């Protein structure tokens, strides 16, 4: 099944189309969710929810429109909602909190650096740096203007680098020697 | 931008390992009607496999597949099918919106319905044209001329300028007698074009009006036929799941909900969703399955492809207006 066909059929499709879409998008969306949530098991849950929501709301998907921003928008809101629920859980007594398990896939220094950013900013930096999305594409995912995202990205990047530069001194020295 | 800065961030991400995960099984398990649809899917696959084997054996896949079902036909890419009733100018199909909610787009032109049906009838999609215009009076005239129960607001706050509007149509039961104009089979799909019956362009399903404020703030008014109001209705009209909803009273409506987005992200600051009951309207839910009933999809019976609208829903979305202004717009709908 060709990519264009999948997109065209999705609004009226069934599990066949969903499966094709999952095969195509699960890998990049899992990485996206993992880098936003900083927890692999949560990212798996977010990925499942993303596809379930996309399937449940497929009739609202415009036939012929690009599928990727729509799926990323769903993944983004799913991750943000999951983070909010986690925050609320911390208000509960310790005995009722779910234990935060380190998934072991993110080195501790990197996790610490990423956690200085909000989940929304983590999504923004990952989308911009690793997926090379334009601000216009990111605007569709985040539901904010491209200009506002540009400013936010610059701030988030600076914040992240302040923490990271100690871990990557060779890059700093390279820059200084120029 | 400092290249080293980018390298640092790149290297950081490279150190994050994301193992493979087969999400497919877990998702399909969680979809309630998996067993029934899997049976249908399996049947389609078996039939497809058998057809392929037979066709391959005879060395004439296309001839056997399509000639025997009389499905040969020339695809009419740009045929201009004239509607039986006058259609206002400025007909376009280009979607002027970037938002993804509630705007069905197809390559159909007014006067025709285009269908794409998956081989074996296991799925498909159909579309009819819409009337798009940058002239508010033309949109209003179209709606009035159609004697539609859908209403437009008489009040829009100062400083807002109408930009574009869209009138979307539905197909009534008469459309089941639509005349087939062309049919073509390509890549396992049947592409068909039907000429729609007289009066189809008076059947309005939804009207969308878009405005821009002095500083580019968006305002969208949308009214559409509906069959029920449920708790998901407001959210299916574009409210983010993080939003909060509250019941309000608007004279002339059976129910009204005001939604506030806690995040105050663009275009979803306040949304009013209004609901009003109207005399019932019967519409064809899926022209694909109505015209291509399939043994593989027994749940698409005759009753299933007709749906009855008994209400309309209005949604007013804004990124800058106050609740009071939204209520004033809602109260001016007449």
């Amino acid at each position: 099944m060709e990519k264009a066909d999948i997109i065209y059929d999705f609004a009226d499709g069934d599990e066949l189309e969903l499966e094709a879409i999952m095969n195509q998008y699960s890998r990049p969306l899992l990485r996206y969710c993992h880098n936003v949530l900083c927890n692999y098991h949560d990212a798996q849950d977010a990925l499942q929810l993303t596809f379930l929501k996309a399937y449940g709301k497929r009739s609202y998907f415009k036939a012929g429109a690009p599928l990727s921003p729509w799926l990323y928008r769903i993944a983004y809101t799913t991750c943000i909602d999951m983070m909010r629920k986690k925050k609320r859980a911390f208000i509960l007594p310790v005995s009722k909190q779910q234990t935060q398990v380190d998934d072991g896939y993110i080195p501790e220094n990197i996790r610490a650096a990423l956690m200085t950013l909000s989940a929304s900013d983590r999504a923004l930096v990952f989308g911009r740096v690793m997926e090379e999305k334009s601000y216009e594409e990111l605007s569709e995912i985040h539901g904010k203007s491209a200009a506002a995202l540009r400013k936010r990205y610059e701030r988030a990047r600076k914040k992240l680098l302040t923490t990271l530069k100690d871990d990557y001194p060779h890059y700093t020295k390279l820059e200084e020697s120029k | 931008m400092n290249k080293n800065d980018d390298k640092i961030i790149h290297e950081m991400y490279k150190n994050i390992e994301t193992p493979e995960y087969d999400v497919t099984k877990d998702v399909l398990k969680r979809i309630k009607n998996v067993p029934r649809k899997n049976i249908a899917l399996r049947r389609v696959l078996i039939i497809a496999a058998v057809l392929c084997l037979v066709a391959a054996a005879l060395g004439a896949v296309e001839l056997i597949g399509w000639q025997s079902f009389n499905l040969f036909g020339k695809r009419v890419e740009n045929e201009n099918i004239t509607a039986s009733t006058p259609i206002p100018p400025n007909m376009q199909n280009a979607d002027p919106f970037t938002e993804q909610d509630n705007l069905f787009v197809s390559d159909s032109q007014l006067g025709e319905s285009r269908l794409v049906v998956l081989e074996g009838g296991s799925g498909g999609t159909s579309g009819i044209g819409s009337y798009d215009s940058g002239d508010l009076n033309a949109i209003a005239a179209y709606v009035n001329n159609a004697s539609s129960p859908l209403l437009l607001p008489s009040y829009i706050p100062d400083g807002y300028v109408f930009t574009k509007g869209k009138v979307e149509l539905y197909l009534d039961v008469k459309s089941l007698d639509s005349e087939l104009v062309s049919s073509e089979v390509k890549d396992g799909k049947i592409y068909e074009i039907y000429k729609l019956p007289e009066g189809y362009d008076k059947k309005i399903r939804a009207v969308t009006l878009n405005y821009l404020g002095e500083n580019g703030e968006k305002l969208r008014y949308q009214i559409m036929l509906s069959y029920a109001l449920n708790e998901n209705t407001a959210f299916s009209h574009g409210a983010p799941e993080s939003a909060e909803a509250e019941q309000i009273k608007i004279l002339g409506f059976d129910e009204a909900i005001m939604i506030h987005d806690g995040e105050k992200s663009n275009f979803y600051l306040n949304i009013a969703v209004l609901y009003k009951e109207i005399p019932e309207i019967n519409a064809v839910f899926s022209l694909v399955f109505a015209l291509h009933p399939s043994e593989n999809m027994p749940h698409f019976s005759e009753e299933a492809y007709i749906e009855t609208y008994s209400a309309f829903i209005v949604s007013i979305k804004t990124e800058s207006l106050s609740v009071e202004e939204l209520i004033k717009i809602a109260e001016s709908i007449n």
Side-chain angles (χ1 to χ4, degrees), chain B residues 133-141 152 162 209 211:
Chain B
S133 176
D135 180 351
L136 180 59
N137 291 331
I139 296 268
L152 303 182
F162 175 77
L209 307 176
Y211 298 84

Side-chain angles (χ1 to χ4, degrees), chain B residues 1 76-77 80 89 164 166 184 230 253:
Chain B
M1 185 183 283
V76 183
E77 289 291 347
N80 192 9
K164 284 196 173 179
K166 181 189 273 284
E184 185 200 16
N230 62 47
F253 288 92

Side-chain angles (χ1 to χ4, degrees), chain B residues 130-321:
Chain B
S130 60
Y131 171 59
D132 293 40
S133 176
D135 180 351
L136 180 59
N137 291 331
I139 296 268
Y142 192 108
V143 175
N144 288 337
N145 189 38
S147 304
S148 167
L150 303 186
L151 304 168
L152 303 182
S154 57
Y155 170 78
I156 292 295
D158 288 342
Y160 278 84
V161 178
F162 175 77
T163 53
K164 284 196 173 179
K166 181 189 273 284
V167 178
E168 293 168 88
L169 307 171
Y170 69 87
L171 294 175
D172 69 1
V173 286
K174 270 168 65 185
S175 66
L176 298 176
D177 300 323
S178 296
E179 179 193 337
L180 180 64
V181 175
S182 74
S183 176
E184 185 200 16
V185 176
K186 194 179 169 188
D187 301 331
K189 293 188 175 69
I190 306 164
Y191 294 84
E192 290 179 342
I193 299 177
Y194 287 86
K195 184 180 177 184
L196 295 172
E198 193 174 339
Y200 78 93
D201 56 342
K202 309 276 186 198
K203 313 289 181 188
I204 300 177
R205 187 177 70 80
V207 182
T208 307
L209 307 176
N210 285 271
Y211 298 84
L212 274 184
E214 285 167 342
N215 298 312
E217 317 92 305
K218 289 175 193 166
L219 169 64
R220 173 184 283 177
Y221 174 89
Q222 186 172 59
I223 182 164
M224 64 196 306
L225 296 175
S226 168
Y227 38 85
L229 184 71
N230 62 47
E231 59 180 3
N232 290 321
T233 305
F235 293 92
S236 68
H237 279 256
E241 288 179 8
S242 57
E244 289 176 6
E246 61 171 319
Q247 291 274 351
I248 55 171
K249 293 259 180 215
I250 299 286
L251 200 63
F253 288 92
D254 298 311
E255 205 151 355
I257 302 166
M258 185 66 72
I259 301 161
H260 314 276
D261 181 7
E263 265 205 329
K264 293 183 168 48
S265 57
N266 283 351
F267 207 24
Y268 294 123
L269 179 60
N270 288 316
I271 306 174
V273 177
L274 312 161
Y275 174 84
K276 185 175 183 176
E277 291 190 359
I278 55 170
E280 288 186 349
I281 291 172
N282 288 323
V284 175
F285 166 65
S286 168
L287 202 57
V288 171
F289 293 111
L291 296 175
H292 290 270
S294 163
E295 286 178 10
N296 293 319
M297 304 288 276
H299 47 293
F300 279 100
S301 61
E302 191 166 329
E303 294 75 32
Y305 56 69
I306 303 290
E307 66 180 354
T308 303
Y309 298 124
S310 57
F312 66 68
I313 285 184
V314 176
S315 76
I316 310 164
K317 299 180 188 175
T318 166
E319 55 184 357
S320 63
L321 287 180

